[in-house]
Amino acid sequence: MYQFLKRFQSLDRRWVFLGMAISIVLPMLFPVHFPTKVDERVQSLYDRLEELEPGDKVFVSADFDPASRPELEPFFRANLHHMFSRDVDIVIGSLWPFAPPLVTPMIEDLAAQHGAVYGEDYAFLGFKMGNELAIKMIGDDIIKAFPVDSRENVTADLPIMNGIRQAQDFELIMSVSAGFPGTKEYVLQIQGQYNLEIASSTTAVSTPDYVPFYKAGQLFGLAGGMPGSAHYEQLVYEDYPVEGVRMMATQALDVLNLGHLYIIILIVFGNIAFFLTREVEE
Amino acid sequence: MITLPLTTTGFGIVPLTAEVMTLSNLAGVWVSIFLTLAIFSFLYEDNPIYKLAEHIFLGISIAIGATEIYFGVFKPNLIDKLAEGRLLSIIPLMLLVMLLLKVTKKLDYMAKVPIAFIVAAFAGVKLTGEANANLMTQVAQTMPDLPAVYEEHGIWSWDADGAGVFSSIFLVLGLCACLLHFYFSARQTKSMAVVSKVGIIVLMLSFGASFGYTVMGRISLAIGRAQELLGLDKPPIEMTIGAGGDPINRMSLVRMMSLTTLIIIIVFLAVWQKKRNHQED
C-alpha cells in the first residue's frame, strides 16, 4: 500500500493529462445528463431582457476572441436569438481586434434565420481601438466612436441609429467579455457616470472579479463561464425553441462536471497519499 | 418555432455547414484539427510539431494585430488626416517618432515626453472610474443594510446562493480580518494572531474560488476543442465533397480526419523520440 501511494505521488503528469482527455471525450461520445439549477444571476439577466419591448434598442459589445469562443459563443448566439425573437433592435460593436471575423458569420447567420434587415433591425459597427478611451467615447458619442460601420456605411445614416447618440440612449448594454477591455472597463468608465443598465457574459476566469459588480447592482445580470452560458441557453431555447439547434454549452456542462469530478478525485487521493506516506515515514 | 436551414453560413473559424463541402472547406477543417492536436502534443513533450503550430499561431496573431492597428488607428487617425492637410496631426506623429527614439542611445531621453503623455492620460482616465465604481461603490457594499437584507433573504437563502444576514455579517468580519492581517505595524498579540489567522483563511477561500473558476475555464476550452475535433460543434448533416460526390455524414468525416491526424502525430512523436534516444545514447 505504502509503495502504491508513494508511486502515485510521483506519477508522470502525462497520465494525468490522458485521464483528463478520457474524462472529456468519453461523456461526449456517450452523453450523460446531470440535473442543473439556473443561477440567480443568469435568471436576473434573462428576466430583464424579457421586459424589453419590440423596437427597444440594445448595444452588444462583443469583446472576445477564438480562445474564449467555447465559453462565450453559446451565450452570444442565444442572446442574439433571444433579442431577435423579441423584435429588439441590436447594435453590435467590438473592442477586440479578433472579434469581427469571429462574430460576423454568427450575426449574419442569426439575422438570416430571423429575417432581420441590416441597418433597420441590426447593425454591426465593427472594431474600435482604444480600450478605455473607446469605451469613454461610446459613452459620450457612439457615432464619433464608430463613424462608419463594418460595411463602410456612415453610422449616423443607419435607420437603427435614429435617436441614438450615446450609450445611455440604448435601453441596455450587453457586454460579452473575455477580459480586458470588457465588462470591468464598461462598469468603471461609463456605468456609474451615465447610470447605465449593463449585463455581462464572461469567461470563468473573470467571473469572480465581476460578482462584486453584480452584488453592488452595477450589473443587472451575469452569466459566468460555461455554466452561465448553459443556463442562459436553457432559458432561451425553452421559451424560443429552434428545431435542430445544438446547445453547445448545455452539452459541455455535463462534460465539465465529469472533468471537475476527475480533478477532485485526484486532489483528494493525492492529499490522502501525501498524509499517509508522511505518517509512515515519520 | 424556428427551423434551422441546412445551408446556413458557418459560425466559427471554419465555415462548413453547407451541404456541399468544397476542397478549401475541407482543407480549413483539416488545418483546424491539425493545429489543435499539434498544440496538444506539448502535453507529451516540447516537440517540432508543437513548435511549428506555435510559430504559425504567433505569426498570424501578430499579422492580424498589426493589420488591425494600421487600418483601425494609424490610417484613420494619422495618415488620412495628414493626407487631408490637417496639420495638427503632425503633433501625434512627432510624439510617435519621439517614442521610437527610445531605442537609440543618444536621443532616448526624448521618449520621456510621449511616455509622460501616455501615463498622464491613462491615470486621468483610470482614476475617476476606479475611484467611483470600484472604490466608493464597493466600500459601500461592505456596509450591508442588515434589516433590508433580512427582509429580502432572511438569515440564509439557498435560492440566492446563500445570501442573507449570515453572509452579510461574515462578509464584514472577513473583510476586517483580512485588513487586519495586512496591518503589519500592529503589535502581534494573541488576539491579533487569531484575527490574522481568520484573515488568512478568508483569503485562502477567496483564492480557492478564483482557482476553481480558472480550472473550470481551462477545462471549458479543452471541451470546446474536443467538440470541434469530434464534429459535435455543428449539425450532423449529410454532405458531399464537391458537387456530385457521394454523400457522407459531416460528423463521421470530421472524426475520421481527427483520428487520422492524431495517428500521424503519434507516429511522428514516436519516431522523433526514438531518434532522440538514439542520439543521446
Side-chain angles (χ1 to χ4, degrees):
Chain A
M1 184 67 177
Y2 170 77
Q3 286 302 326
F4 171 74
L5 293 176
K6 200 72 190 158
R7 206 178 294 165
F8 177 75
Q9 285 186 81
S10 54
L11 184 72
D12 191 326
R13 63 190 167 87
R14 285 174 282 203
W15 290 112
V16 177
F17 297 143
L18 185 66
M20 177 52 87
I22 291 169
S23 67
I24 285 176
V25 171
L26 269 187
M28 280 189 184
L29 296 175
F30 308 102
V32 285
H33 184 66
F34 296 104
T36 55
K37 177 179 158 275
V38 174
D39 186 50
E40 178 239 339
R41 298 181 286 243
V42 180
Q43 186 70 55
S44 162
L45 188 157
Y46 181 80
D47 291 344
R48 178 66 188 92
L49 288 176
E50 280 290 285
E51 289 169 12
L52 292 174
E53 298 290 332
D56 281 348
K57 288 171 183 163
V58 172
F59 180 71
V60 180
S61 192
D63 306 321
F64 60 102
D65 60 0
S68 45
R69 186 177 148 221
E71 289 181 278
L72 299 179
E73 181 186 336
F75 179 91
F76 186 72
R77 296 182 68 84
N79 187 228
L80 290 191
H81 170 64
H82 189 189
M83 291 195 285
F84 275 134
S85 301
R86 296 190 60 78
D87 287 329
V88 170
D89 295 343
I90 309 167
V91 178
I92 304 152
S94 179
L95 306 170
W96 282 44
F98 294 100
L102 187 65
V103 299
T104 305
M106 300 179 208
I107 298 165
E108 297 306 330
D109 200 23
L110 283 151
Q113 285 172 31
H114 290 269
V117 180
Y118 188 85
E120 290 177 18
D121 304 316
Y122 76 103
F124 181 39
L125 305 183
F127 161 66
K128 179 69 189 173
M129 192 91 188
N131 304 334
E132 287 108 327
L133 295 174
I135 293 174
K136 271 267 181 216
M137 275 177 94
I138 291 169
D140 295 337
D141 189 343
I142 194 166
I143 305 286
K144 204 173 159 190
F146 297 95
V148 289
D149 69 0
S150 60
R151 298 184 182 191
E152 300 290 315
N153 300 310
V154 176
T155 307
D157 294 344
L158 295 172
I160 196 172
M161 298 305 285
N162 276 342
I164 299 288
R165 192 74 210 174
Q166 48 186 189
Q168 63 182 351
D169 296 328
F170 290 101
E171 201 68 30
L172 304 171
I173 293 180
M174 300 295 309
S175 170
V176 186
S177 156
F180 176 85
T183 300
K184 186 178 178 186
E185 285 65 41
Y186 271 100
V187 171
L188 295 187
Q189 294 302 329
I190 58 175
Q191 188 277 329
Q193 187 180 352
Y194 297 103
N195 199 20
L196 303 174
E197 280 194 88
I198 301 181
S200 170
S201 164
T202 188
T203 54
V205 176
S206 303
T207 306
D209 295 338
Y210 298 166
V211 170
F213 293 141
Y214 173 77
K215 295 279 180 197
Q218 292 161 298
L219 296 175
F220 69 81
L222 177 63
M226 195 70 92
S229 293
H231 295 162
Y232 184 68
E233 253 184 359
Q234 286 161 20
L235 289 169
V236 170
Y237 291 115
E238 196 180 309
D239 288 349
Y240 306 93
V242 179
E243 195 186 314
V245 72
R246 286 189 95 83
M247 290 162 69
M248 301 294 291
T250 307
Q251 181 191 59
L253 196 58
D254 295 327
V255 183
L256 192 67
N257 285 331
L258 286 175
H260 282 177
L261 196 65
Y262 172 70
I263 289 178
I264 290 167
I265 289 170
L266 281 184
I267 291 173
V268 170
F269 198 62
N271 274 283
I272 291 171
F274 170 73
F275 285 110
L276 285 182
T277 51
R278 195 178 65 167
E279 215 165 71
V280 171
E281 280 162 12
E282 278 173 2
Chain B
M1 182 185 283
I2 292 170
T3 307
L4 275 177
L6 287 181
T7 50
T8 50
T9 56
F11 33 90
I13 304 166
V14 189
L16 84 153
T17 43
E19 285 166 302
V20 177
M21 185 190 260
T22 62
L23 281 177
S24 66
N25 284 152
L26 201 65
V29 178
W30 184 78
V31 167
S32 167
I33 291 169
F34 172 74
L35 289 177
T36 302
L37 292 173
I39 293 288
F40 276 140
S41 73
F42 182 77
L43 296 176
Y44 173 71
E45 205 172 335
D46 198 355
N47 66 78
I49 288 188
Y50 167 74
K51 283 280 176 226
L52 174 73
E54 187 189 29
H55 290 155
I56 290 172
F57 174 73
L58 277 178
I60 291 175
S61 302
I62 292 168
I64 292 177
T67 312
E68 286 290 351
I69 288 171
Y70 176 76
F71 286 104
V73 182
F74 281 102
K75 195 170 175 294
N77 295 333
L78 187 66
I79 296 169
D80 288 352
K81 285 181 181 173
L82 284 173
E84 289 165 14
R86 291 158 75 172
L87 295 178
L88 267 181
S89 298
I90 289 174
I91 296 172
L93 179 63
M94 278 170 60
L95 289 170
L96 173 73
V97 173
M98 286 162 82
L99 190 63
L100 290 174
L101 287 174
K102 182 80 182 158
V103 295
T104 66
K105 280 186 179 170
K106 279 185 180 174
L107 298 169
D108 62 342
Y109 66 91
M110 293 187 80
K112 287 177 183 172
V113 178
I115 289 173
F117 264 104
I118 294 168
V119 172
F122 271 88
V125 168
K126 285 259 185 190
L127 199 66
T128 47
E130 289 283 347
N132 183 31
N134 232 0
L135 187 66
M136 297 308 290
T137 315
Q138 294 305 322
V139 167
Q141 285 302 306
T142 59
M143 300 169 200
D145 181 357
L146 289 179
V149 172
Y150 182 76
E151 205 164 291
E152 195 179 348
H153 298 295
I155 301 289
W156 178 277
S157 166
W158 288 107
D159 291 337
D161 295 338
V165 173
F166 177 81
S167 298
S168 299
I169 293 172
F170 184 76
L171 171 78
V172 176
L173 295 179
L175 177 76
C176 294
C178 287
L179 290 174
L180 286 170
H181 170 68
F182 289 106
Y183 186 38
F184 298 120
S185 55
R187 188 188 287 177
Q188 288 301 305
T189 57
K190 265 188 181 175
S191 55
M192 192 65 182
V194 172
V195 172
S196 182
K197 206 151 207 173
V198 173
I200 292 174
I201 292 169
V202 173
L203 283 172
M204 295 313 287
L205 283 172
S206 155
F207 296 150
S210 292
F211 179 66
Y213 270 110
T214 305
V215 169
M216 184 162 78
R218 301 298 175 246
I219 300 177
S220 300
L221 297 187
I223 290 170
R225 298 319 302 153
Q227 282 175 329
E228 204 159 310
L229 291 176
L230 294 173
L232 294 167
D233 56 328
K234 295 183 179 73
I237 56 172
E238 294 291 322
M239 59 202 318
T240 60
I241 300 170
D246 290 333
I248 184 167
N249 185 278
R250 185 193 167 273
M251 197 198 292
S252 309
L253 178 69
V254 172
R255 285 181 183 183
M256 213 160 62
M257 290 167 81
S258 297
L259 189 65
T260 314
T261 313
L262 180 68
I263 290 170
I264 291 170
I265 289 178
I266 289 173
V267 169
F268 173 84
L269 286 176
V271 172
W272 173 75
Q273 185 70 49
K274 202 174 172 188
K275 209 173 165 186
R276 224 167 52 132
N277 291 344
H278 185 68
Q279 278 172 352
E280 279 173 9
D281 290 341

